[in-house]
């Protein structure tokens, strides 16, 4: 279900110079002024499209999103900003809108200038082929993703559509994720903004694959405000779509063979729970133990211990996929190694950690660390 | 060169139950009261021998060190502390010293009780075979280490001997490193203490393999105070021995194929330089890029950006093994991809990062992340 007012197209600009047949640029167009909100990477090193996007979000409305994969346009200095502006102007003039009504999104290799000339030759085709092929757009955004990520939900007569890319460098603070949420529901821009900011806390900022935070992370929300719908319903649907996109991204974590959900509770503060969850989620020893279906709970204990959270080891209890593993900081009486090993062999593993009687809790999702992750990230691409 | 007063022995207690022929317990004995200093893990989850050792260091003197590999005696609660005390008493009575004159050190799997009975049957053999085989002791301490780590240096007529184990879970704050520095040089205990505390800052706390911090890290320094020597010389030699041990540990990082030295300078504070160094050193994307000899400097830029240090991307310059890579936050004019790729193919890689004109600097050592690391840490050992 495509939200009213929006259309999509893709083209092949051979951005990475590999002569691949894959489309690598994409356009989202709105037939009316769409309200625009955004959340951007907290990395100090921000890509050119992020610097431009942060400015455009202050304007508050937009007509088009121009996306490319294969090149992040990051660490390219003033030249990179000018490259992005050249494309914004070129697509704007073809669409009959201002350059500042086009927001750019880029993902891919860092430090290489965009092949602007090649992109410019494809813009007519992009504008000429606008239609409803959202999946093609999601594919054109992909880098190491293994599948396109599209979520669609209705809410009354309105609809919410989510599109994302991301598979590596995923970490709290939204590393190399590009996500776009589009709706035709009437919603105040301040409501839309608050909704996406709340949503990312427990979704895109609660997933981690390798702890690396990217230069390009962006989540945009656009509304054409064409359809009246229940506001609470719209808000909830947006949160749900964002959550679903985040889960699709973490499931597609580079080389991942298992999805790991880590629930932490009983901490003095939510911040402590977050520290515990993030440290366990990013421990290479925990991730490799899960990969190897090794019920080595000592690695989880060690990670909790160095998380920086204010905890007493004697208060810790741990369950793996529902099975007791640690009680009072030592091996649980009911611990059955074979049972836990079998549980770890599943595609989805949960680690429940209680560190006491406090009210601080946090849930984080991650993946195991596999040989394939090393393959993907150590392969030299000239 | 063995410092006067000290002797060593090892035995096979089959601690991990694998029936391996490898010696896995070791004894260091001092014929006189040795002064004792120690630095211990900052992990909140501390192994039984760490809890006991922290107490014993307050006493200030010691006669023996009882070491085992194959079992960390961590997350074993009160029972684990009692197990350690049982061994301290048993070895003490055989040596004719107090139980509290024996300091225990353990390394290996977490959460499993020590096979105390098996160890007790080997103590007579341990006491009966004291001699000068330091290398055998270093071997008995090994877990995933691929070689024993012993360093010996003379200073006048005195000598300093260092023994260490460690190959995984190495991180700032001395993860699963056991290191023992032994000297016969006369040195005040307060001097000895200050010397090792200063030394670990730029050595064991400046190496990282996987960012995991262990429950058992311990560095002990013992002096028999039998030989007069120049104090500055003694201090410098101790620092040198500790540095050499730390380098041996990081070089033996699990699965490592390359040693990476990261020099950070130009930061506002030393703390910022440390943040940058640690973040780059622990970035899986940087580590896998080095493994694959991929001159993908964007990954270094991204890691600097999310390190939390107060830096302006436009001030960053990076050299890889002496070759310019980034200048002013963008690709250096002299960047030659082929040259940098060749440099990355070496066994030792240096990454020099300058983030401005501040005086904050820090050097950190790490290794690449390889398929073998995944092999070592995902293999299920029942």
């Amino acid at each position: 279900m495509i939200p009213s007012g929006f259309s999509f197209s893709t083209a092949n600009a051979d951005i990475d110079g590999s002569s691949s047949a894959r489309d690598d640029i994409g356009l989202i167009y709105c037939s009316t002024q769409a309200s625009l909100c955004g959340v951007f990477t907290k990395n100090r090193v921000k890509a050119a499209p992020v610097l431009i996007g942060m400015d455009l979000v202050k304007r508050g409305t937009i007509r088009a999103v121009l996306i490319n994969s294969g090149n992040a346009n990051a660490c390219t200095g003033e030249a990179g900003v000018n490259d992005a502006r050249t494309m914004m102007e070129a697509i704007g003039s073809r669409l009959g809108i201002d350059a500042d009504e086009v927001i750019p999104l880029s993902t891919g290799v860092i430090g290489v200038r965009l092949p602007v000339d090649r992109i410019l030759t494809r813009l007519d085709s992009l504008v000429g082929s606008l239609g409803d092929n959202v999946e093609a757009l999601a594919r054109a955004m992909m880098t190491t993703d293994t599948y396109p990520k599209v979520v669609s939900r209705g809410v009354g007569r309105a609809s919410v559509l989510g599109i994302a890319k991301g598979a590596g460098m995923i970490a709290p603070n939204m590393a190399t994720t590009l996500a776009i949420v589009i709706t035709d529901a009437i919603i105040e821009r301040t409501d839309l903004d608050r909704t996406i900011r709340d949503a990312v806390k427990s979704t895109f900022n609660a997933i981690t694959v390798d702890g690396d935070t990217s230069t390009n992370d962006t989540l945009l929300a656009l509304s054409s405000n064409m359809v009246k719908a229940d506001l609470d319903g719209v808000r909830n649907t947006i949160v749900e779509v964002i959550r679903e996109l985040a889960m699709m991204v973490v499931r597609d974590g580079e080389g991942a063979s298992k999805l790991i959900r880590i629930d932490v509770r009983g901490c003095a503060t939510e911040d402590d729970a977050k520290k515990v969850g993030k440290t366990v989620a990013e421990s290479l020893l925990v991730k490799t133990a899960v990969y190897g279906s090794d019920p080595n709970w000592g690695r989880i204990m060690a990670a909790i211990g160095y998380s920086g959270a204010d905890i007493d080891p004697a208060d810790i209890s741990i369950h793996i996929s529902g099975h007791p593993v640690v009680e009072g900081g030592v091996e649980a009486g009911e611990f059955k190694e074979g049972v836990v090993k079998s549980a770890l062999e599943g595609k989805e593993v949960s680690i429940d950690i209680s560190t006491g009687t406090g009210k601080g809790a946090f849930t984080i999702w991650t993946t195991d660390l596999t040989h394939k992750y090393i393959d993907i990230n150590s392969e030299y691409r000239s």
Side-chain angles (χ1 to χ4, degrees), chain A:
Chain A
M1 213 159 51
I2 307 290
S4 309
F6 292 97
S7 53
F8 313 88
S9 62
T10 63
N12 177 346
D14 192 22
I15 295 217
D16 62 6
S18 68
S19 304
S20 141
R22 199 179 80 84
D23 282 357
D24 51 8
I25 59 175
L27 178 67
I28 302 176
Y29 174 69
C30 186
S31 59
T32 176
Q33 287 285 348
S35 48
L36 171 71
C37 302
V39 182
F40 297 89
T41 183
K42 288 181 183 159
N43 197 312
R44 287 262 183 154
V45 176
K46 291 177 168 59
V50 168
L51 295 171
I52 293 170
M54 291 173 78
D55 255 359
L56 293 182
V57 159
K58 290 176 199 152
R59 288 180 80 249
T61 58
I62 203 81
R63 291 293 298 279
V65 186
L66 180 62
I67 308 164
N68 76 274
S69 58
N71 187 312
N73 196 8
C75 302
T76 43
E78 267 306 302
V81 172
N82 291 337
D83 288 345
R85 289 209 186 280
T86 300
M87 298 193 310
M88 290 157 66
E89 275 158 29
I91 198 88
S93 76
R94 280 163 180 82
L95 290 167
I97 60 177
D98 282 352
D100 277 354
E101 292 178 309
V102 182
I103 187 166
L105 290 179
S106 296
T107 177
V109 69
I110 297 176
V112 178
R113 292 277 300 276
L114 276 174
V116 176
D117 289 345
R118 280 209 298 276
I119 296 172
L120 292 179
T121 64
R122 308 301 296 140
L123 297 186
D124 283 334
S125 153
L126 212 52
V127 170
S129 61
L130 281 163
D132 60 5
N133 197 341
V134 179
E135 198 194 297
L137 184 89
R139 283 191 185 278
M141 290 166 70
M142 286 166 51
T143 52
T144 55
D145 303 56
T146 64
Y147 50 82
K149 299 170 181 72
V150 178
V151 179
S152 170
R153 292 275 183 284
V155 49
R157 290 174 43 240
S159 66
V160 179
L161 178 71
I163 310 157
K165 69 83 36 176
M169 286 179 75
I170 312 295
N173 298 323
M174 302 185 47
T176 304
T177 306
L178 300 182
I180 308 151
V181 178
I182 292 165
T183 183
D184 48 13
I186 295 173
I187 179 169
E188 289 277 343
R189 192 169 159 259
T190 50
D191 277 336
L192 184 60
D193 192 55
R194 200 176 324 122
T195 304
I196 65 167
R197 283 178 196 283
D198 282 352
V200 296
K201 281 185 206 158
S202 62
T203 59
F204 280 109
N205 284 347
I207 62 177
T208 177
V209 171
D210 55 17
D212 281 79
T213 301
S214 127
T215 51
N216 288 60
D217 295 331
T218 305
L219 181 145
L220 300 180
L222 283 73
S223 171
S224 63
N225 292 297
M226 286 177 162
V227 181
K228 209 165 150 37
D230 171 63
L231 183 60
D232 278 346
V234 172
R235 280 204 207 105
N236 292 340
T237 308
I238 291 171
V239 172
E240 201 186 306
V241 165
I242 291 176
R243 173 176 307 275
E244 190 106 347
L245 289 177
M247 288 302 110
M248 289 173 105
V249 167
V250 71
R251 268 176 210 276
D252 199 17
E254 287 175 348
S257 78
K258 298 176 191 180
L259 180 69
I260 309 171
R261 176 190 166 117
I262 300 169
D263 270 303
V264 184
R265 59 188 172 79
C267 291
T269 61
E270 188 191 356
D271 192 50
D272 267 1
K274 217 181 259 188
K275 280 182 192 163
V276 168
K278 188 171 185 305
T279 309
V280 172
E282 292 180 359
S283 160
L284 303 197
L285 291 172
V286 172
K287 290 162 102 75
T288 48
V290 172
Y291 175 46
S293 303
D294 181 353
N296 191 335
W297 55 262
R299 296 180 177 184
I300 302 172
M301 284 293 288
I304 297 170
Y306 70 78
S307 66
D310 182 21
I311 49 105
D312 181 342
D315 293 335
I316 298 174
S317 66
I318 303 174
H319 288 70
I320 292 180
S321 296
H323 304 290
V325 168
V326 170
E327 189 64 50
V330 301
E331 190 169 277
E334 315 92 307
F335 174 63
K336 294 197 184 68
E337 187 163 345
V339 171
V340 177
K341 181 167 163 43
S342 296
L344 285 167
E345 281 161 359
K347 288 284 155 220
E348 306 214 349
V349 170
S350 71
I351 301 177
D352 291 285
I353 299 168
S354 168
T355 65
T357 56
K359 293 202 186 309
F362 197 73
T363 298
I364 191 161
W365 285 265
T366 187
T367 57
D368 55 347
L369 181 66
T370 69
H371 287 102
K372 208 169 153 198
Y373 178 91
I374 309 284
D375 288 340
I376 293 168
N377 286 299
S378 65
E379 188 199 334
Y380 176 66
R381 304 173 195 85
S382 72

